[in-house]
Amino acid sequence: METKEPIEDLHQRIQELEAELNKAKKKEELFLSILNSIPEEILFIDPEYNILDANKAFLDSVGLDKKDIIGSKCYEIFSKIGRPCQKGSESCPLNLAITSKRKVEIPISEKALGSVNEYLKIAYPITIGPSMSSYILEIRREFGSIPTLIKALRYSEQKFYSILNSVSEAIISINQDHEIILFNQAAEKIFGYKSREVLGHDLSMLIPPQYGDHYRHIRKFFEKPESKAIFRDITVTALRKGGQEFPAQIGISYLQTEDEHIFTAIIRDLSDKLDLEKRLLQNERFTAIGKTVAHVVHELKTPLMIIGGLSQQLLRTIPDSSTQKKLDIICEEVARLERLLMDLGDFTKEQTLVLRRADINDLIHDVIGMMIALPSSQRYHFVTKLCKSDVVIQCDPDKLKQVLINIVVNAMEAMEEGGEIEIFSKKLSDHVEITIRDHGIGIKEEDLSNIFEPFYTTRKRGTGLGLSISYKIVQAHCGELKAQSKVGEGTTFTILLPIR
Ligand SMILES: Nc1ncnc2c1ncn2[C@@H]1O[C@H](COP(=O)(O)OP(=O)(O)OP(=O)(O)O)[C@@H](O)[C@H]1O
Ligand SMILES: [Mg+2]
């Protein structure tokens, strides 16, 4: 006998079903809105190639309406053929996904309007529901943007390196372990290392050891990052490959990446700038002193000439020998003062050069020959190491000889007991370098900056003009005169002259 449900129960059952239907509709709506908001193109088919659904991105891309494709076979719509695409066909991962029951990815490259469209076709086999129905989900994922991105990245990397290498400042980055991770071409030039010699090495190789614990800045920064222990434009001493220290101006910036803390220093070599400033100052001082001295020389010359001339006359007429002796002393002192005035004249005069072509090695030989002829030179030994080829340059040979003599005489005076004086010449790409080295008393670091100053002397009878005149002569040749010294070890003078 058929049992009838009471009418109320039926009502309730209908309401429950309606509620469930509503829920399912809402879920479907949600699912569809999610599906349609996905930018990748998605297509559902069953194992018989019937199209079940497609998202908005897919429909937009093929330019069709959902109703035009649902229920149709995918190969009819997209390949316009009456049978499934051939198995293993490269452009269709569906066959493979259906047969292998695994996710299949196939990269596709299509030429369109002169450009290449690259994307990935992904087919997922899915089994759902109590009936274990199988579906295939096909996703089209654009990756044409990835090579473009890589290209853009490479381009910006190249741009970054070309900027990095075009600047004249050294740019060096280190990580939190003080390892050098970036070293531009200017850094190679300034520090003398090739980047491969420093990358991955500790920063300490670029800082003189006596400057102590340079890691403290980084430690301080990590202790109190807000204290901005990162500095701008401070002057430090840095270390070149050969161990030479040099003044540098440095600014540091900080960058935190996902996995690293990077400190980047921009470093300017100040040696040239300081040299230039020193030279400018020296020039100004030379000019000022020169004017005063020229005036004094002019005022002294005539009375000195008169004193000398009259003394000579008296010397010839006075028979008294003790007076003659006194007059002799006057004449000697007058002669000494006249020589001093000549030196002063040299110093105040604008150095006009009488240029001709001369071999630097010949000049060195001439000067050594002159020095050896001096009776006081017995205790000195000259060692030369001259460049093999001729170094013929456009110069004033007499003036350059005067420079060499001044420096060699100073070297002899610095080694009263005698010793070895070395003279080298070296041909550089566009300069010739002459080095004169002694092993004498040396010069204190604080005095080194004064030796080219006019009238600076530590000798009893020195005028303090030898080096300042030499400096002016070398400068008139567009060259450079430099000195390095260590007390008790000796002094080295270097003359750089352009090869013209
Ligand atoms: N080779 C050297 N070793 C040590 N000190 C040196 C050397 N050359 C120069 N000096 C120092 O530099 C000073 C200046 O040298 P400079 O030749 O200009 O003058 P000077 O030798 O004192 O006098 P003069 O004008 O007679 O040459 C010297 O007095 C000396 O103190
Ligand atoms: Mg001298």
Side-chain angles (χ1 to χ4, degrees), residues 80-300:
K80 310 260 182 293
I81 49 173
R83 53 166 174 76
C85 305
Q86 282 185 350
K87 274 208 166 123
S89 161
E90 283 205 340
S91 61
C92 184
L94 292 170
N95 274 328
L96 282 172
I98 290 168
T99 49
S100 68
K101 296 192 173 52
R102 284 192 296 113
K103 174 186 162 191
V104 176
E105 283 184 17
I106 292 182
I108 311 282
S109 177
E110 279 174 359
K111 279 199 180 124
L113 293 171
S115 70
V116 180
N117 239 346
E118 287 177 310
Y119 58 92
L120 210 55
K121 257 190 182 180
I122 309 164
Y124 289 95
I126 336 174
T127 312
I128 20 171
S131 59
M132 299 297 277
S133 329
S134 290
Y135 301 96
I136 307 291
L137 172 73
E138 187 192 86
I139 300 179
R140 179 183 150 128
R141 182 169 294 162
E142 296 289 339
F143 76 90
S145 53
I146 294 173
T148 318
L149 260 179
I150 292 173
K151 249 189 236 162
L153 217 73
R154 282 213 189 110
Y155 173 70
S156 71
E157 196 182 339
Q158 274 170 4
K159 212 162 91 179
F160 168 68
Y161 275 105
S162 70
I163 292 173
L164 201 70
N165 287 330
S166 66
V167 294
S168 54
E169 280 92 4
I171 300 181
I172 300 171
S173 297
I174 57 160
N175 61 16
Q176 63 272 34
D177 302 322
H178 322 123
E179 283 169 358
I180 300 166
I181 54 170
L182 185 104
F183 201 74
N184 73 340
Q185 276 176 13
E188 288 186 340
K189 211 167 141 201
I190 292 174
F191 285 88
Y193 287 105
K194 285 275 160 224
S195 62
R196 63 176 138 62
E197 295 176 88
V198 295
L199 290 180
H201 289 267
D202 197 280
L203 164 76
S204 54
M205 68 193 289
L206 307 177
I207 299 168
Q210 70 270 28
Y211 287 92
D213 180 14
H214 49 272
Y215 304 128
R216 70 184 183 279
H217 299 294
I218 295 178
R219 276 202 307 273
K220 213 164 127 196
F221 177 77
F222 283 122
E223 276 161 23
K224 263 188 179 179
E226 71 284 357
S227 73
K228 298 263 180 307
I230 292 297
F231 25 75
R232 292 191 61 193
D233 295 345
I234 58 157
T235 306
V236 296
T237 304
L239 190 66
R240 290 193 227 275
K241 188 177 179 182
Q244 191 201 0
E245 295 176 11
F246 67 98
Q249 194 176 47
I250 174 167
I252 294 190
S253 62
Y254 167 71
L255 171 79
Q256 184 174 3
T257 66
E258 249 172 50
D259 47 3
E260 261 187 327
H261 297 272
I262 298 174
F263 297 87
T264 299
I266 300 191
I267 301 162
R268 184 179 303 160
D269 185 348
L270 289 184
S271 2
D272 283 353
K273 191 178 164 234
L274 293 185
D275 262 12
L276 195 75
E277 277 171 5
K278 230 166 49 192
R279 266 187 273 160
L280 282 175
L281 202 72
Q282 197 117 322
N283 273 354
E284 277 173 24
R285 295 183 61 144
F286 275 11
T287 317
I289 295 170
K291 277 185 189 152
T292 323
V293 170
H295 181 72
V296 175
V297 168
H298 180 78
E299 290 298 307
L300 287 181

Side-chain angles (χ1 to χ4, degrees), residues 405-407 409-411 413 456-457 459 462-467:
I405 292 170
N406 285 345
I407 295 173
V409 167
N410 282 350
E413 284 169 351
Y456 172 81
T457 182
R459 290 179 192 134
T463 62
L465 285 173
L467 284 181

